[in-house]
Amino acid sequence: MTKKSPSPEAIAAWARLVRVSRQLVERTEDALKASGLPPLAWYDVLHELAEAGEGGLRPFELIDRILLAQYSVSRLLARLEVDGLIEKLPVSDDGRGQTVRITASGREMRRRIWAIYGASIADQIGDRLSAQDLKTLASLLGRLRDPPASE
Amino acid sequence: MTKKSPSPEAIAAWARLVRVSRQLVERTEDALKASGLPPLAWYDVLHELAEAGEGGLRPFELIDRILLAQYSVSRLLARLEVDGLIEKLPVSDDGRGQTVRITASGREMRRRIWAIYGASIADQIGDRLSAQDLKTLASLLGRLRDPPASE
DNA sequence: TTCATATAAATGCAATTGCATCGACAAGGA
DNA sequence: TCCTTGTCGATGCAATTGCATTTATATGAA
């Protein structure tokens, strides 16, 4: 096991990355709260389910797409169901599981959240960097994805 | 009140930013947990206090430096004190407040956390981008800081 | 079949967080 | 001095989270 020391540039980039992303998310959450809307996590689920279409998704598929623990997804879906934003259907070929589908209210809620969320992205990112810089940023970040499980 | 729509580039950059930073932090937290060490938030406090030197810091100064709510800092400090990593001193010219100072154990703990934290930064950031790219990344992120409180 | 193991999803319980408020002191005007 | 308002930090309580485990079903080997 080798202990490594990060370069000053790496430390600086890390600090900025963590701090900035926290601020961006926090501001967005605040904006949603101020509008009486649910948190971003709800949007993520509604978004994935909307993308998935009529077939819906199994909870475990949702877990891979949004980065949440199994129990978090389980509870999140329970709340979304109580609010009528999704529906759970038994799945024929696997008695353990279920399929989750977005409802009409769910689509409507997704739209309402996006009005705020999208504006927040535009304010905080879109208006501050050129399209070219945004591409550069996304590309650099892309190289940090999916670190191969270290040792 | 104007509702804006973000460009596709902005959406892509946002998604990457949020997702990547979450993954990086999560992996680091996991590494700390695996080593039986406390969470990153503890490091942040110990780091600030170490920087501050013998004079220590008032809790409200800490609040500005690390991005945490007042009650979070209050409780975090209480835990750090129980573990003997910091000490709270009454402050002479303000009977309401206190000064928080890092202890020797606190410095030791900071060192131990950094062994893991630093390695995680090197693994996840330092080894993946050149010094030049790291500077570019930090610079782009820098332009996203401190959004002027929107309307 | 039968049994051992694996996977899907939910949940009991303890720990943590967020919200609102409180208690204590400070600051400044009347 | 007295009173109002503001700031510092802590905390009661409800909601949420994390961990470990449970329940239910599937899968595959013997």
Side-chain angles (χ1 to χ4, degrees), chain A residues 3-4 6 14 16-17 19 21-23 27-28 65 67 115 117-119 123-124 127-129 133 138 142-148, chain B residues 4 6 14 16-17 19 21-23 27-28 65 67 115 117-119 123-124 127-129 133 138 142-148:
Chain A
K3 277 296 158 41
K4 289 179 298 186
W14 173 282
R16 279 271 168 86
L17 179 55
R19 185 164 280 252
S21 78
R22 279 228 317 229
Q23 259 191 22
R27 277 177 201 268
T28 305
R65 286 172 171 72
L67 296 176
Y117 189 8
D123 279 346
Q124 302 195 76
D127 292 356
R128 291 164 192 276
L129 296 176
D133 283 342
R143 291 208 261 147
L144 306 178
R145 273 181 314 182
D146 290 321
Chain B
K4 290 180 296 186
W14 174 282
R16 279 272 168 85
L17 178 55
R19 184 166 281 251
S21 77
R22 280 227 317 226
Q23 259 190 22
R27 277 176 199 268
T28 306
R65 287 172 170 72
L67 297 175
Y117 189 9
D123 279 346
Q124 303 195 74
D127 292 356
R128 292 164 191 276
L129 295 176
D133 282 343
R143 291 208 259 146
L144 305 179
R145 272 180 316 182
D146 289 323

Short mmCIF file of all heavy atoms in Angstrom, two decimals, chain A residues 3-4 6 14 16-17 19 21-23 27-28 65 67 115 117-119 123-124 127-129 133 138 142-148, chain B residues 4 6 14 16-17 19 21-23 27-28 65 67 115 117-119 123-124 127-129 133 138 142-148:
data_model
loop_
_atom_site.label_atom_id
_atom_site.label_comp_id
_atom_site.label_asym_id
_atom_site.label_seq_id
_atom_site.Cartn_x
_atom_site.Cartn_y
_atom_site.Cartn_z
N LYS A 3 1.29 5.28 0.06
CA LYS A 3 0.63 6.53 0.41
C LYS A 3 1.15 7.62 -0.51
O LYS A 3 2.37 7.83 -0.61
CB LYS A 3 0.92 6.91 1.87
CG LYS A 3 0.02 6.22 2.85
CD LYS A 3 -1.44 6.63 2.65
CE LYS A 3 -2.41 5.62 3.22
NZ LYS A 3 -1.97 5.08 4.50
N LYS A 4 0.23 8.33 -1.13
CA LYS A 4 0.64 9.36 -2.07
C LYS A 4 0.25 10.74 -1.55
O LYS A 4 -0.71 10.90 -0.82
CB LYS A 4 -0.02 9.12 -3.42
CG LYS A 4 0.55 7.91 -4.13
CD LYS A 4 -0.14 7.69 -5.45
CE LYS A 4 -1.62 7.40 -5.26
NZ LYS A 4 -2.27 7.04 -6.54
N PRO A 6 -0.85 14.52 -2.77
CA PRO A 6 -1.36 15.23 -3.95
C PRO A 6 -0.55 16.50 -4.20
O PRO A 6 -0.03 17.10 -3.26
CB PRO A 6 -2.79 15.58 -3.55
CG PRO A 6 -2.80 15.61 -2.06
CD PRO A 6 -1.71 14.68 -1.60
N TRP A 14 -9.32 20.25 -6.21
CA TRP A 14 -10.25 19.51 -5.36
C TRP A 14 -11.08 20.46 -4.49
O TRP A 14 -12.31 20.35 -4.42
CB TRP A 14 -9.48 18.55 -4.46
CG TRP A 14 -10.32 17.85 -3.44
CD1 TRP A 14 -10.79 18.37 -2.27
CD2 TRP A 14 -10.83 16.52 -3.52
NE1 TRP A 14 -11.56 17.44 -1.61
CE2 TRP A 14 -11.60 16.31 -2.35
CE3 TRP A 14 -10.70 15.51 -4.47
CZ2 TRP A 14 -12.23 15.08 -2.11
CZ3 TRP A 14 -11.34 14.30 -4.22
CH2 TRP A 14 -12.09 14.09 -3.06
N ARG A 16 -11.78 23.60 -4.86
CA ARG A 16 -12.73 24.36 -5.66
C ARG A 16 -13.92 23.50 -6.06
O ARG A 16 -15.07 23.90 -5.98
CB ARG A 16 -12.07 24.84 -6.96
CG ARG A 16 -11.24 26.07 -6.83
CD ARG A 16 -12.09 27.31 -7.04
NE ARG A 16 -11.37 28.50 -6.65
CZ ARG A 16 -10.53 29.16 -7.45
NH1 ARG A 16 -10.34 28.76 -8.69
NH2 ARG A 16 -9.90 30.22 -7.00
N LEU A 17 -13.60 22.31 -6.52
CA LEU A 17 -14.64 21.40 -7.02
C LEU A 17 -15.66 21.10 -5.94
O LEU A 17 -16.87 21.25 -6.14
CB LEU A 17 -13.97 20.11 -7.51
CG LEU A 17 -14.87 19.01 -8.05
CD1 LEU A 17 -15.75 19.56 -9.16
CD2 LEU A 17 -14.03 17.86 -8.58
N ARG A 19 -16.19 22.63 -3.04
CA ARG A 19 -16.85 23.81 -2.50
C ARG A 19 -17.89 24.38 -3.47
O ARG A 19 -19.02 24.67 -3.10
CB ARG A 19 -15.80 24.86 -2.16
CG ARG A 19 -16.32 26.11 -1.49
CD ARG A 19 -15.18 26.88 -0.87
NE ARG A 19 -14.78 26.30 0.39
CZ ARG A 19 -15.04 26.88 1.57
NH1 ARG A 19 -15.70 28.03 1.62
NH2 ARG A 19 -14.65 26.32 2.70
N SER A 21 -19.40 22.93 -6.04
CA SER A 21 -20.57 22.09 -6.32
C SER A 21 -21.53 22.09 -5.14
O SER A 21 -22.74 22.08 -5.31
CB SER A 21 -20.14 20.68 -6.70
OG SER A 21 -19.78 19.96 -5.56
N ARG A 22 -20.97 22.14 -3.93
CA ARG A 22 -21.85 22.21 -2.77
C ARG A 22 -22.68 23.49 -2.79
O ARG A 22 -23.88 23.47 -2.50
CB ARG A 22 -21.02 22.17 -1.48
CG ARG A 22 -20.63 20.78 -1.07
CD ARG A 22 -20.90 20.51 0.40
NE ARG A 22 -20.51 21.61 1.25
CZ ARG A 22 -19.78 21.50 2.36
NH1 ARG A 22 -19.34 20.31 2.71
NH2 ARG A 22 -19.50 22.53 3.10
N GLN A 23 -22.02 24.58 -3.13
CA GLN A 23 -22.75 25.84 -3.17
C GLN A 23 -23.84 25.84 -4.23
O GLN A 23 -24.95 26.31 -3.99
CB GLN A 23 -21.78 27.00 -3.44
CG GLN A 23 -21.42 27.75 -2.19
CD GLN A 23 -20.68 29.05 -2.50
OE1 GLN A 23 -20.77 29.59 -3.59
NE2 GLN A 23 -19.95 29.51 -1.51
N ARG A 27 -27.77 26.23 -3.28
CA ARG A 27 -28.59 27.34 -3.78
C ARG A 27 -29.81 26.83 -4.53
O ARG A 27 -30.89 27.41 -4.44
CB ARG A 27 -27.77 28.23 -4.71
CG ARG A 27 -26.94 29.24 -3.97
CD ARG A 27 -26.09 30.04 -4.91
NE ARG A 27 -24.98 30.64 -4.19
CZ ARG A 27 -25.03 31.86 -3.65
NH1 ARG A 27 -26.11 32.60 -3.78
NH2 ARG A 27 -24.00 32.33 -2.99
N THR A 28 -29.61 25.77 -5.26
CA THR A 28 -30.73 25.22 -6.00
C THR A 28 -31.77 24.64 -5.05
O THR A 28 -32.98 24.87 -5.21
CB THR A 28 -30.25 24.13 -6.97
OG1 THR A 28 -29.22 24.68 -7.80
CG2 THR A 28 -31.39 23.64 -7.84
N ARG A 65 -28.81 4.49 -11.65
CA ARG A 65 -28.86 5.76 -12.38
C ARG A 65 -28.65 6.95 -11.47
O ARG A 65 -27.89 7.86 -11.78
CB ARG A 65 -30.19 5.88 -13.11
CG ARG A 65 -30.29 4.98 -14.34
CD ARG A 65 -31.70 5.01 -14.89
NE ARG A 65 -31.85 4.37 -16.18
CZ ARG A 65 -31.81 3.06 -16.40
NH1 ARG A 65 -31.59 2.24 -15.39
NH2 ARG A 65 -31.98 2.56 -17.61
N LEU A 67 -27.42 8.29 -7.78
CA LEU A 67 -26.42 7.72 -6.85
C LEU A 67 -26.96 7.68 -5.44
O LEU A 67 -26.59 8.48 -4.59
CB LEU A 67 -25.14 8.54 -6.89
CG LEU A 67 -24.35 8.58 -8.19
CD1 LEU A 67 -23.16 9.51 -8.06
CD2 LEU A 67 -23.90 7.19 -8.59
N ALA A 115 -38.78 24.15 -13.88
CA ALA A 115 -38.88 25.60 -14.04
C ALA A 115 -37.88 26.29 -13.12
O ALA A 115 -37.21 27.25 -13.52
CB ALA A 115 -40.30 26.07 -13.77
N TYR A 117 -35.33 24.55 -11.29
CA TYR A 117 -34.03 23.89 -11.42
C TYR A 117 -33.29 24.40 -12.65
O TYR A 117 -32.12 24.80 -12.58
CB TYR A 117 -34.28 22.38 -11.51
CG TYR A 117 -33.08 21.47 -11.43
CD1 TYR A 117 -31.81 21.93 -11.13
CD2 TYR A 117 -33.24 20.11 -11.68
CE1 TYR A 117 -30.73 21.05 -11.05
CE2 TYR A 117 -32.18 19.24 -11.61
CZ TYR A 117 -30.93 19.72 -11.30
OH TYR A 117 -29.87 18.83 -11.24
N GLY A 118 -33.99 24.41 -13.77
CA GLY A 118 -33.37 24.87 -15.01
C GLY A 118 -32.91 26.31 -14.90
O GLY A 118 -31.81 26.67 -15.34
N ALA A 119 -33.72 27.14 -14.29
CA ALA A 119 -33.35 28.54 -14.13
C ALA A 119 -32.10 28.66 -13.26
O ALA A 119 -31.22 29.49 -13.51
CB ALA A 119 -34.51 29.32 -13.50
N ASP A 123 -28.66 30.34 -14.33
CA ASP A 123 -28.09 31.42 -13.52
C ASP A 123 -26.67 31.12 -13.08
O ASP A 123 -25.80 31.98 -13.12
CB ASP A 123 -28.90 31.61 -12.23
CG ASP A 123 -30.15 32.43 -12.47
OD1 ASP A 123 -30.24 33.06 -13.54
OD2 ASP A 123 -31.03 32.43 -11.59
N GLN A 124 -26.48 29.91 -12.61
CA GLN A 124 -25.25 29.62 -11.90
C GLN A 124 -24.14 29.06 -12.79
O GLN A 124 -22.97 29.13 -12.43
CB GLN A 124 -25.52 28.62 -10.77
CG GLN A 124 -26.54 29.11 -9.78
CD GLN A 124 -26.53 28.30 -8.51
OE1 GLN A 124 -25.64 28.46 -7.69
NE2 GLN A 124 -27.49 27.40 -8.36
N ASP A 127 -24.89 31.19 -17.47
CA ASP A 127 -24.59 32.61 -17.67
C ASP A 127 -23.16 32.97 -17.35
O ASP A 127 -22.73 34.10 -17.56
CB ASP A 127 -25.51 33.46 -16.78
CG ASP A 127 -26.96 33.38 -17.24
OD1 ASP A 127 -27.21 32.74 -18.27
OD2 ASP A 127 -27.82 33.97 -16.57
N ARG A 128 -22.42 32.02 -16.79
CA ARG A 128 -21.09 32.37 -16.32
C ARG A 128 -19.96 31.85 -17.20
O ARG A 128 -18.82 32.30 -17.09
CB ARG A 128 -20.89 31.85 -14.89
CG ARG A 128 -21.74 32.59 -13.91
CD ARG A 128 -21.87 31.85 -12.60
NE ARG A 128 -22.91 32.49 -11.83
CZ ARG A 128 -22.71 33.56 -11.06
NH1 ARG A 128 -21.52 34.08 -10.98
NH2 ARG A 128 -23.72 34.10 -10.40
N LEU A 129 -20.24 30.86 -18.01
CA LEU A 129 -19.22 30.31 -18.88
C LEU A 129 -19.76 30.21 -20.31
O LEU A 129 -20.94 29.94 -20.51
CB LEU A 129 -18.80 28.91 -18.38
CG LEU A 129 -18.13 28.80 -17.01
CD1 LEU A 129 -17.89 27.35 -16.66
CD2 LEU A 129 -16.82 29.59 -16.98
N ASP A 133 -16.32 26.95 -22.99
CA ASP A 133 -15.79 26.69 -21.65
C ASP A 133 -16.59 25.60 -20.94
O ASP A 133 -16.03 24.78 -20.20
CB ASP A 133 -15.79 27.97 -20.81
CG ASP A 133 -14.64 28.91 -21.20
OD1 ASP A 133 -13.68 28.43 -21.84
OD2 ASP A 133 -14.71 30.10 -20.87
N ALA A 138 -16.86 20.19 -18.81
CA ALA A 138 -17.48 18.87 -18.79
C ALA A 138 -16.47 17.80 -19.18
O ALA A 138 -16.44 16.71 -18.61
CB ALA A 138 -18.68 18.84 -19.73
N GLY A 142 -15.18 14.81 -16.93
CA GLY A 142 -15.43 13.47 -17.45
C GLY A 142 -14.26 12.54 -17.18
O GLY A 142 -14.44 11.34 -16.96
N ARG A 143 -13.08 13.12 -17.14
CA ARG A 143 -11.90 12.29 -16.90
C ARG A 143 -11.77 11.88 -15.43
O ARG A 143 -10.88 11.10 -15.08
CB ARG A 143 -10.65 13.03 -17.36
CG ARG A 143 -10.62 13.18 -18.88
CD ARG A 143 -9.21 13.27 -19.38
NE ARG A 143 -8.80 14.64 -19.63
CZ ARG A 143 -7.56 15.08 -19.47
NH1 ARG A 143 -6.63 14.26 -18.99
NH2 ARG A 143 -7.26 16.33 -19.74
N LEU A 144 -12.62 12.43 -14.62
CA LEU A 144 -12.57 12.07 -13.19
C LEU A 144 -13.62 11.04 -12.82
O LEU A 144 -13.69 10.58 -11.69
CB LEU A 144 -12.77 13.33 -12.34
CG LEU A 144 -11.84 14.50 -12.62
CD1 LEU A 144 -12.19 15.67 -11.74
CD2 LEU A 144 -10.40 14.07 -12.41
N ARG A 145 -14.43 10.71 -13.78
CA ARG A 145 -15.52 9.77 -13.49
C ARG A 145 -15.04 8.37 -13.19
O ARG A 145 -13.98 7.96 -13.63
CB ARG A 145 -16.47 9.67 -14.68
CG ARG A 145 -17.55 10.70 -14.69
CD ARG A 145 -18.41 10.48 -15.89
NE ARG A 145 -17.58 10.25 -17.09
CZ ARG A 145 -18.07 10.07 -18.30
NH1 ARG A 145 -19.36 10.07 -18.49
NH2 ARG A 145 -17.26 9.87 -19.33
N ASP A 146 -15.91 7.65 -12.52
CA ASP A 146 -15.72 6.20 -12.34
C ASP A 146 -14.30 5.80 -12.02
O ASP A 146 -13.71 4.98 -12.73
CB ASP A 146 -16.14 5.48 -13.62
CG ASP A 146 -17.64 5.54 -13.80
OD1 ASP A 146 -18.34 5.42 -12.79
OD2 ASP A 146 -18.08 5.71 -14.92
N PRO A 147 -13.78 6.36 -10.97
CA PRO A 147 -12.45 5.89 -10.57
C PRO A 147 -12.49 4.39 -10.38
O PRO A 147 -13.37 3.88 -9.69
CB PRO A 147 -12.21 6.60 -9.23
CG PRO A 147 -13.17 7.74 -9.20
CD PRO A 147 -14.34 7.30 -10.02
N PRO A 148 -11.57 3.68 -10.99
CA PRO A 148 -11.53 2.23 -10.80
C PRO A 148 -11.32 1.95 -9.32
O PRO A 148 -10.38 2.48 -8.73
CB PRO A 148 -10.31 1.80 -11.61
CG PRO A 148 -9.47 3.04 -11.75
CD PRO A 148 -10.42 4.18 -11.73
N LYS B 4 -35.49 31.36 -17.09
CA LYS B 4 -34.52 31.09 -18.13
C LYS B 4 -34.35 29.60 -18.33
O LYS B 4 -34.54 28.81 -17.42
CB LYS B 4 -33.17 31.70 -17.76
CG LYS B 4 -33.20 33.22 -17.81
CD LYS B 4 -31.85 33.79 -17.45
CE LYS B 4 -31.50 33.45 -16.01
NZ LYS B 4 -30.25 34.13 -15.60
N PRO B 6 -31.61 26.70 -19.44
CA PRO B 6 -30.18 26.50 -19.61
C PRO B 6 -29.88 25.84 -20.95
O PRO B 6 -30.69 25.07 -21.46
CB PRO B 6 -29.82 25.56 -18.46
CG PRO B 6 -31.09 24.85 -18.12
CD PRO B 6 -32.22 25.74 -18.51
N TRP B 14 -23.35 20.84 -15.71
CA TRP B 14 -23.96 20.74 -14.37
C TRP B 14 -24.03 19.29 -13.92
O TRP B 14 -23.63 18.93 -12.82
CB TRP B 14 -25.35 21.36 -14.38
CG TRP B 14 -26.09 21.17 -13.10
CD1 TRP B 14 -26.73 20.04 -12.68
CD2 TRP B 14 -26.25 22.13 -12.06
NE1 TRP B 14 -27.29 20.25 -11.44
CE2 TRP B 14 -27.01 21.52 -11.03
CE3 TRP B 14 -25.83 23.46 -11.89
CZ2 TRP B 14 -27.35 22.18 -9.86
CZ3 TRP B 14 -26.18 24.12 -10.72
CH2 TRP B 14 -26.92 23.49 -9.72
N ARG B 16 -22.41 16.66 -14.89
CA ARG B 16 -21.09 16.12 -14.62
C ARG B 16 -20.55 16.62 -13.29
O ARG B 16 -20.02 15.86 -12.48
CB ARG B 16 -20.10 16.54 -15.72
CG ARG B 16 -20.14 15.73 -16.96
CD ARG B 16 -19.22 14.52 -16.86
NE ARG B 16 -19.47 13.59 -17.95
CZ ARG B 16 -18.91 13.69 -19.15
NH1 ARG B 16 -18.07 14.66 -19.42
NH2 ARG B 16 -19.19 12.80 -20.07
N LEU B 17 -20.67 17.91 -13.12
CA LEU B 17 -20.12 18.54 -11.93
C LEU B 17 -20.72 17.94 -10.66
O LEU B 17 -20.01 17.52 -9.74
CB LEU B 17 -20.39 20.05 -12.00
CG LEU B 17 -19.93 20.90 -10.83
CD1 LEU B 17 -18.46 20.70 -10.56
CD2 LEU B 17 -20.20 22.38 -11.12
N ARG B 19 -22.47 15.17 -10.27
CA ARG B 19 -22.28 13.73 -10.13
C ARG B 19 -20.85 13.38 -9.75
O ARG B 19 -20.60 12.58 -8.84
CB ARG B 19 -22.67 13.05 -11.45
CG ARG B 19 -22.61 11.55 -11.44
CD ARG B 19 -23.34 10.98 -12.64
NE ARG B 19 -24.78 10.99 -12.40
CZ ARG B 19 -25.49 9.87 -12.19
NH1 ARG B 19 -24.88 8.69 -12.16
NH2 ARG B 19 -26.79 9.93 -12.00
N SER B 21 -18.52 15.28 -8.35
CA SER B 21 -18.08 15.72 -7.03
C SER B 21 -18.70 14.85 -5.94
O SER B 21 -18.07 14.54 -4.94
CB SER B 21 -18.39 17.20 -6.81
OG SER B 21 -19.75 17.37 -6.53
N ARG B 22 -19.93 14.42 -6.16
CA ARG B 22 -20.54 13.52 -5.18
C ARG B 22 -19.76 12.23 -5.08
O ARG B 22 -19.52 11.70 -3.99
CB ARG B 22 -21.99 13.21 -5.57
CG ARG B 22 -22.95 14.31 -5.18
CD ARG B 22 -24.19 13.77 -4.49
NE ARG B 22 -24.70 12.59 -5.14
CZ ARG B 22 -25.97 12.38 -5.43
NH1 ARG B 22 -26.86 13.32 -5.16
NH2 ARG B 22 -26.37 11.27 -5.98
N GLN B 23 -19.38 11.70 -6.23
CA GLN B 23 -18.64 10.44 -6.22
C GLN B 23 -17.29 10.58 -5.54
O GLN B 23 -16.89 9.71 -4.76
CB GLN B 23 -18.43 9.94 -7.65
CG GLN B 23 -19.39 8.85 -8.02
CD GLN B 23 -19.02 8.19 -9.33
OE1 GLN B 23 -17.89 8.25 -9.79
NE2 GLN B 23 -20.01 7.55 -9.94
N ARG B 27 -16.34 8.54 -2.15
CA ARG B 27 -15.23 7.60 -2.10
C ARG B 27 -14.26 7.96 -0.99
O ARG B 27 -13.69 7.10 -0.33
CB ARG B 27 -14.48 7.57 -3.43
CG ARG B 27 -15.13 6.67 -4.43
CD ARG B 27 -14.42 6.73 -5.76
NE ARG B 27 -15.29 6.22 -6.80
CZ ARG B 27 -15.32 4.95 -7.20
NH1 ARG B 27 -14.51 4.08 -6.63
NH2 ARG B 27 -16.14 4.56 -8.13
N THR B 28 -14.06 9.25 -0.82
CA THR B 28 -13.15 9.69 0.24
C THR B 28 -13.73 9.36 1.61
O THR B 28 -13.03 8.86 2.49
CB THR B 28 -12.88 11.19 0.11
OG1 THR B 28 -12.41 11.47 -1.21
CG2 THR B 28 -11.85 11.65 1.12
N ARG B 65 -15.95 29.93 7.09
CA ARG B 65 -14.88 29.23 6.37
C ARG B 65 -15.36 27.89 5.84
O ARG B 65 -15.10 27.55 4.69
CB ARG B 65 -13.68 29.04 7.29
CG ARG B 65 -12.91 30.33 7.52
CD ARG B 65 -11.85 30.10 8.58
NE ARG B 65 -10.91 31.19 8.72
CZ ARG B 65 -11.18 32.37 9.26
NH1 ARG B 65 -12.41 32.63 9.69
NH2 ARG B 65 -10.26 33.30 9.37
N LEU B 67 -18.55 25.46 4.97
CA LEU B 67 -19.92 25.84 4.62
C LEU B 67 -20.92 25.02 5.42
O LEU B 67 -21.54 24.09 4.90
CB LEU B 67 -20.16 25.63 3.12
CG LEU B 67 -19.34 26.47 2.15
CD1 LEU B 67 -19.62 26.05 0.72
CD2 LEU B 67 -19.64 27.94 2.35
N ALA B 115 -3.51 11.67 5.82
CA ALA B 115 -2.85 10.54 5.17
C ALA B 115 -3.81 9.85 4.20
O ALA B 115 -3.44 9.47 3.09
CB ALA B 115 -2.35 9.54 6.21
N TYR B 117 -6.99 11.22 3.26
CA TYR B 117 -7.63 12.25 2.44
C TYR B 117 -6.71 12.65 1.29
O TYR B 117 -7.12 12.67 0.11
CB TYR B 117 -7.94 13.45 3.34
CG TYR B 117 -8.79 14.54 2.77
CD1 TYR B 117 -9.44 14.43 1.54
CD2 TYR B 117 -8.96 15.74 3.48
CE1 TYR B 117 -10.22 15.46 1.05
CE2 TYR B 117 -9.74 16.77 3.00
CZ TYR B 117 -10.36 16.63 1.78
OH TYR B 117 -11.13 17.67 1.31
N GLY B 118 -5.48 12.94 1.62
CA GLY B 118 -4.52 13.35 0.60
C GLY B 118 -4.33 12.28 -0.46
O GLY B 118 -4.30 12.56 -1.66
N ALA B 119 -4.24 11.04 -0.01
CA ALA B 119 -4.07 9.94 -0.96
C ALA B 119 -5.28 9.84 -1.87
O ALA B 119 -5.16 9.58 -3.07
CB ALA B 119 -3.87 8.63 -0.20
N ASP B 123 -5.22 10.10 -5.84
CA ASP B 123 -5.80 9.01 -6.65
C ASP B 123 -6.85 9.51 -7.62
O ASP B 123 -6.90 9.11 -8.77
CB ASP B 123 -6.50 7.99 -5.75
CG ASP B 123 -5.53 7.02 -5.13
OD1 ASP B 123 -4.38 6.97 -5.58
OD2 ASP B 123 -5.93 6.31 -4.18
N GLN B 124 -7.74 10.33 -7.10
CA GLN B 124 -8.94 10.64 -7.86
C GLN B 124 -8.81 11.87 -8.74
O GLN B 124 -9.57 12.04 -9.70
CB GLN B 124 -10.12 10.84 -6.91
CG GLN B 124 -10.38 9.64 -6.02
CD GLN B 124 -11.72 9.71 -5.35
OE1 GLN B 124 -12.74 9.50 -5.99
NE2 GLN B 124 -11.74 10.05 -4.08
N ASP B 127 -3.82 12.09 -10.17
CA ASP B 127 -3.31 11.12 -11.13
C ASP B 127 -4.05 11.14 -12.46
O ASP B 127 -3.66 10.45 -13.39
CB ASP B 127 -3.40 9.71 -10.55
CG ASP B 127 -2.45 9.51 -9.39
OD1 ASP B 127 -1.68 10.44 -9.10
OD2 ASP B 127 -2.48 8.43 -8.78
N ARG B 128 -5.13 11.90 -12.52
CA ARG B 128 -5.96 11.83 -13.72
C ARG B 128 -5.85 13.03 -14.64
O ARG B 128 -6.27 12.98 -15.80
CB ARG B 128 -7.42 11.66 -13.31
CG ARG B 128 -7.65 10.31 -12.69
CD ARG B 128 -8.97 10.25 -11.95
NE ARG B 128 -9.01 9.03 -11.17
CZ ARG B 128 -9.39 7.85 -11.70
NH1 ARG B 128 -9.77 7.78 -12.93
NH2 ARG B 128 -9.37 6.78 -10.94
N LEU B 129 -5.36 14.13 -14.10
CA LEU B 129 -5.22 15.34 -14.92
C LEU B 129 -3.82 15.91 -14.74
O LEU B 129 -3.25 15.84 -13.65
CB LEU B 129 -6.27 16.38 -14.50
CG LEU B 129 -7.75 16.04 -14.72
CD1 LEU B 129 -8.63 17.15 -14.16
CD2 LEU B 129 -8.06 15.81 -16.19
N ASP B 133 -4.00 20.97 -16.74
CA ASP B 133 -5.45 20.72 -16.77
C ASP B 133 -6.08 21.01 -15.41
O ASP B 133 -7.21 21.51 -15.34
CB ASP B 133 -5.73 19.27 -17.18
CG ASP B 133 -5.58 19.07 -18.68
OD1 ASP B 133 -5.57 20.08 -19.42
OD2 ASP B 133 -5.45 17.91 -19.11
N ALA B 138 -9.56 24.37 -12.14
CA ALA B 138 -9.75 25.25 -10.99
C ALA B 138 -10.19 26.64 -11.44
O ALA B 138 -11.05 27.27 -10.83
CB ALA B 138 -8.47 25.33 -10.18
N GLY B 142 -13.59 28.44 -10.62
CA GLY B 142 -13.50 29.71 -9.90
C GLY B 142 -14.51 30.72 -10.41
O GLY B 142 -15.02 31.54 -9.64
N ARG B 143 -14.82 30.61 -11.68
CA ARG B 143 -15.79 31.56 -12.23
C ARG B 143 -17.22 31.24 -11.82
O ARG B 143 -18.15 31.99 -12.11
CB ARG B 143 -15.67 31.57 -13.75
CG ARG B 143 -14.34 32.18 -14.20
CD ARG B 143 -14.48 32.80 -15.55
NE ARG B 143 -13.94 31.94 -16.61
CZ ARG B 143 -14.45 31.87 -17.84
NH1 ARG B 143 -15.52 32.58 -18.16
NH2 ARG B 143 -13.90 31.09 -18.74
N LEU B 144 -17.40 30.14 -11.14
CA LEU B 144 -18.76 29.77 -10.70
C LEU B 144 -18.98 30.09 -9.23
O LEU B 144 -20.07 29.91 -8.71
CB LEU B 144 -18.99 28.27 -10.93
CG LEU B 144 -18.76 27.76 -12.34
CD1 LEU B 144 -18.98 26.26 -12.40
CD2 LEU B 144 -19.66 28.48 -13.33
N ARG B 145 -17.93 30.57 -8.59
CA ARG B 145 -18.04 30.83 -7.16
C ARG B 145 -18.95 32.00 -6.84
O ARG B 145 -19.15 32.89 -7.66
CB ARG B 145 -16.66 31.16 -6.59
CG ARG B 145 -15.88 29.98 -6.15
CD ARG B 145 -14.56 30.44 -5.61
NE ARG B 145 -13.97 31.47 -6.49
CZ ARG B 145 -12.80 32.02 -6.28
NH1 ARG B 145 -12.08 31.67 -5.24
NH2 ARG B 145 -12.32 32.93 -7.12
N ASP B 146 -19.39 31.98 -5.62
CA ASP B 146 -20.08 33.15 -5.06
C ASP B 146 -21.07 33.81 -6.00
O ASP B 146 -20.98 35.00 -6.28
CB ASP B 146 -19.04 34.21 -4.67
CG ASP B 146 -18.26 33.77 -3.47
OD1 ASP B 146 -18.85 33.16 -2.59
OD2 ASP B 146 -17.06 34.06 -3.43
N PRO B 147 -22.00 33.02 -6.46
CA PRO B 147 -23.03 33.64 -7.30
C PRO B 147 -23.66 34.78 -6.51
O PRO B 147 -24.05 34.59 -5.36
CB PRO B 147 -24.04 32.51 -7.52
CG PRO B 147 -23.29 31.26 -7.25
CD PRO B 147 -22.27 31.62 -6.22
N PRO B 148 -23.76 35.94 -7.10
CA PRO B 148 -24.42 37.06 -6.41
C PRO B 148 -25.85 36.65 -6.10
O PRO B 148 -26.59 36.27 -7.00
CB PRO B 148 -24.37 38.19 -7.45
CG PRO B 148 -24.19 37.50 -8.77
CD PRO B 148 -23.44 36.27 -8.49
#
